[in-house]
Amino acid sequence: MSNAIEKTDVLVIGSGFGGAITAYHLAAGGAKVTVLERGPWLRSTDFEHDYKLGSSYTRAFDFVVGDGMSVLGGNCVGGGSVVYFAAMPRAPRFVFDRHGSIGRRMWPATLSRDTLDPWYDRIEESLSVSKQEWSDVSYAGGLWAAACNHAGRTANPLAVAIDNSKCANCNFMMAGCRFEAKQSLTVNYLPAAIAHGAEIRPLHEVQHLTRTAEGDYRIHYNVIDDQDYRVHHESGVIEAKIVVMAAGAAATPVILQRSEAHLGSMPYAVGRYFSGNGERLNTAILNEDKVAELLGLSRGDGALPYGANAIGRGPTVASWDKLDGSLPEYSRYSLEQLYFPPGLGTILAQVPDATGPTWFGREKKEILKNWKSWLTIFSMIEDDNEGVFGPPPETGNALRISQQMLGRGNLSYRPTKNTWHGWNQSDAEVKEILEKDGLAKVMPWTNDLVGAYTVHPLASCRMGDDPRTSALDDTNELRGHSGVFVTDGSAIPGALTVNPAMTIAAVAERAVPHIVAEAQRRGVAVSYGAPAPTGYKSGRNAVLPLLRNKPRQPAGV
């Protein structure tokens, strides 16, 4: 390792929503910004239309198997935004008043749907979020909507960050968008950050933080191999006045845990209260004759009336009938049609009415023959934040098992009765809707193989007002460690009952003025007020009045 210590004003760890948004605003405000991203930098032309091992698919993902919970996340420049399905609903109003298992409001008193709405507006402007029309939804979305209607439920097209003029309906959305129709951060915030001088370094995996005698931070990293993520080539250190932790809810707490020996005691909530966003999946095997008979759907030319699992895009339609704030906590959830690519979707699906094994064996082989007639429904309930991270591995966020993608993590998750209550209610609802009049046979994915699973990890370093149950204050600053901010999904206090990208992004936008104020206090020449990456300013103008009384704002700014 070289003895020379690099210096920057702001060091951002991770380039997903929490990292890209903060990097842009701080760079646009005049700070020297360096972004360290553990994954590769994949351009749109690198995204391959297959799901083969060693392709862009396995390079861009991080699949960590824990004890009772497995986490699927992004591992590339742009983070989860490269592999998300671009569903961007706002969190329901009741979410912000949830108590969960701690007996008090989990969210800070300063945060509610009303106070977050202006920041949601900023994200809609920056990522061109819009509600889809019925003509935009996929075959799978249309089928789900028709089934909900047949069963006396409602369904709505999702708000998405997709440019429909560019979308080719290729359904490889989860493996990166080669048409740049999906609003990944690689086509907005990150290019804008680079234009303002930010430097992004891929394949740099942060290991821990130390502190200098002057109170600044040193960030220690390893450079990993482009093809085999188990191989480290070199290591280095960068010194910064401000650190923004945005490595994701499965990595940020691990880095902080490993840093405790150097920085001193971490808040109790670091690595605790993890939420999988209450996620669960059901697979329906549709009776194609019933699809025609009950729903009146037809494609003509002798084709199956549905037969459309591989056509279209990810989630396009959701049922929000149970997102009712008058219902008891743990009884509220959304049901969203989802496409999941070959792999987990086929492995974890169970056989309805099986006489033998439910997720493997002869009967499983038989239902795989009808894969074109499968429909996947994604439930997001209110869970109990029961995940806990154990001692960190020697390096990284997990013990790498394979060359890419797969690792064994230190997360332990034991679902409580409350969580199971939500899952069981949502399972029953999906079954009632899709099995009505023999339309389909439905079974949830198995938990036997990899435990519960989530693609939206949250809350492992959550914000709140109670120091005993939150790692961050209401400005996203790490308690007891001024100058360290957490802006990724780990900052969100609990399950949202909807896709969380919109809320993670809005909370990150809201944190930026506070980060700027602390950076100014530490002598960084930086200001706040940049427009959206698109250049639009209406969102900026809407939030500026909210900042007049923001904490730690130096006089004259």
Side-chain angles (χ1 to χ4, degrees):
M1 182 174 71
S2 170
N3 292 326
I5 302 293
E6 284 190 75
K7 293 190 177 183
T8 190
D9 292 332
V10 179
L11 193 289
V12 180
I13 303 171
S15 58
F17 287 102
I21 289 169
T22 51
Y24 162 63
H25 283 292
L26 288 156
K32 181 180 180 182
V33 176
T34 304
V35 180
L36 301 186
E37 165 59 52
R38 72 179 176 189
W41 197 333
L42 301 173
R43 274 66 175 185
S44 58
T45 53
D46 294 325
F47 297 127
E48 298 163 274
H49 280 182
D50 63 47
Y51 292 110
K52 296 178 180 178
L53 296 177
S55 73
S56 59
Y57 175 56
T58 55
R59 294 185 69 203
F61 273 106
D62 184 48
F63 184 63
V64 176
V65 180
D67 179 11
M69 169 68 76
S70 294
V71 179
L72 183 65
N75 183 59
C76 56
V77 171
S81 78
V82 173
V83 298
Y84 82 145
F85 280 129
M88 297 292 274
R90 301 186 184 201
R93 186 172 297 275
F94 65 77
V95 159
F96 299 95
D97 294 319
R98 286 194 61 209
H99 283 211
S101 60
I102 63 174
R104 59 164 294 157
R105 193 177 189 269
M106 291 192 293
W107 284 78
T110 54
L111 263 164
S112 67
R113 172 62 185 267
D114 288 337
T115 61
L116 199 57
D117 268 337
W119 304 100
Y120 278 135
D121 291 343
R122 289 217 66 174
I123 298 303
E124 286 195 352
E125 182 177 74
S126 300
L127 299 184
S128 302
V129 176
S130 62
K131 183 180 177 181
Q132 297 176 104
E133 302 298 329
W134 283 112
S135 58
D136 299 321
V137 306
S138 65
Y139 283 13
L143 187 285
W144 173 234
C148 286
N149 182 64
H150 176 71
R153 271 65 165 195
T154 68
N156 298 276
L158 282 162
V160 293
I162 297 172
D163 182 347
N164 284 320
S165 69
K166 295 181 179 179
C167 182
N169 285 308
C170 66
N171 215 349
F172 281 90
M173 194 175 189
M174 193 173 175
C177 181
R178 48 182 307 129
F179 306 106
E180 297 188 350
K182 180 171 70 173
Q183 289 298 293
S184 300
L185 300 167
T186 52
V187 299
N188 39 69
Y189 280 98
L190 288 174
I194 293 168
H196 286 283
E199 182 182 2
I200 301 174
R201 300 185 188 180
L203 300 169
H204 282 58
E205 184 178 63
V206 172
Q207 303 305 315
H208 66 273
L209 311 181
T210 59
R211 190 180 281 114
T212 70
E214 295 74 28
D216 294 338
Y217 292 92
R218 285 180 176 170
I219 298 87
H220 301 252
Y221 63 84
N222 291 337
V223 178
I224 64 174
D225 187 78
D226 183 45
Q227 295 298 323
D228 190 339
Y229 299 163
R230 298 167 297 184
V231 176
H232 297 167
H233 291 298
E234 58 187 85
S235 59
V237 179
I238 300 178
E239 192 171 299
K241 294 185 178 298
I242 294 288
V243 177
V244 177
M245 302 287 304
T252 286
V254 180
I255 295 170
L256 292 176
Q257 285 177 323
R258 200 181 290 119
S259 301
E260 189 166 29
H262 309 282
L263 298 182
S265 179
M266 287 289 158
Y268 176 79
V270 169
R272 292 182 172 85
Y273 303 112
F274 173 91
S275 167
N277 200 36
E279 294 175 1
R280 187 162 170 85
L281 290 130
N282 276 258
T283 295
I285 303 169
L286 290 150
N287 180 323
E288 294 283 358
D289 292 335
K290 293 289 187 179
V291 169
E293 175 190 339
L294 299 174
L295 305 183
L297 300 182
S298 173
R299 290 166 60 194
D301 301 324
L304 294 172
Y306 170 57
N309 198 47
I311 302 173
R313 58 180 67 162
T316 58
V317 173
S319 178
W320 293 316
D321 291 342
K322 298 298 183 179
L323 296 187
D324 180 350
S326 68
L327 293 173
E329 195 169 359
Y330 307 106
S331 297
R332 302 171 294 202
Y333 52 83
S334 63
L335 302 175
E336 187 173 280
Q337 152 271 325
L338 178 68
Y339 171 75
F340 226 90
L344 286 178
T346 48
I347 294 170
L348 300 181
Q350 297 188 88
V351 180
D353 305 322
T355 57
T358 59
W359 62 270
F360 66 94
R362 179 181 56 81
E363 291 173 293
K364 178 64 173 285
K365 187 176 180 179
E366 285 300 309
I367 69 165
L368 287 173
K369 294 177 181 178
N370 298 324
W371 66 270
K372 289 185 179 181
S373 299
W374 287 16
L375 176 69
T376 304
I377 303 300
F378 187 42
S379 304
M380 288 168 276
I381 68 156
E382 298 165 298
D383 71 2
D384 236 352
N385 291 82
E386 49 264 83
V388 178
F389 284 82
E394 184 176 350
T395 64
N397 69 309
L399 174 64
R400 292 288 162 201
I401 295 173
S402 65
Q403 180 175 323
Q404 297 168 9
M405 191 171 173
L406 184 61
R408 179 75 188 184
N410 61 342
L411 174 62
S412 175
Y413 190 86
R414 297 287 180 270
T416 65
K417 289 182 179 179
N418 287 331
T419 298
W420 272 111
H421 174 75
W423 282 342
N424 290 336
Q425 279 202 327
S426 64
D427 285 351
E429 181 86 355
V430 173
K431 192 177 183 71
E432 187 174 340
I433 291 170
L434 287 170
E435 291 194 349
K436 183 175 175 60
D437 299 323
L439 178 64
K441 284 287 187 179
V442 180
M443 276 285 281
W445 284 16
T446 181
N447 283 31
D448 294 343
L449 184 59
V450 294
Y453 27 79
T454 182
V455 294
H456 298 133
L458 303 170
S460 53
C461 294
R462 67 186 185 180
M463 62 195 316
D465 290 331
D466 180 6
R468 296 170 300 174
T469 57
S470 60
L472 315 175
D473 64 21
D474 70 341
T475 72
N476 289 73
E477 191 169 40
L478 183 66
R479 297 184 186 277
H481 300 276
S482 63
V484 176
F485 292 82
V486 178
T487 57
D488 56 21
S490 61
I492 304 302
L496 299 175
T497 68
V498 295
N499 312 73
M502 187 70 165
T503 300
I504 294 170
V507 170
E509 279 275 3
R510 178 185 176 276
V512 172
H514 303 293
I515 301 172
V516 167
E518 178 62 18
Q520 291 170 337
R521 194 183 72 80
R522 288 171 170 263
V524 178
V526 61
S527 61
Y528 176 75
T534 55
Y536 299 138
K537 297 182 180 180
S538 59
R540 179 191 67 178
N541 295 337
V543 301
L544 284 176
L546 304 175
L547 307 177
R548 290 171 182 160
N549 298 314
K550 65 178 181 285
R552 295 196 303 267
Q553 183 72 355
V557 176

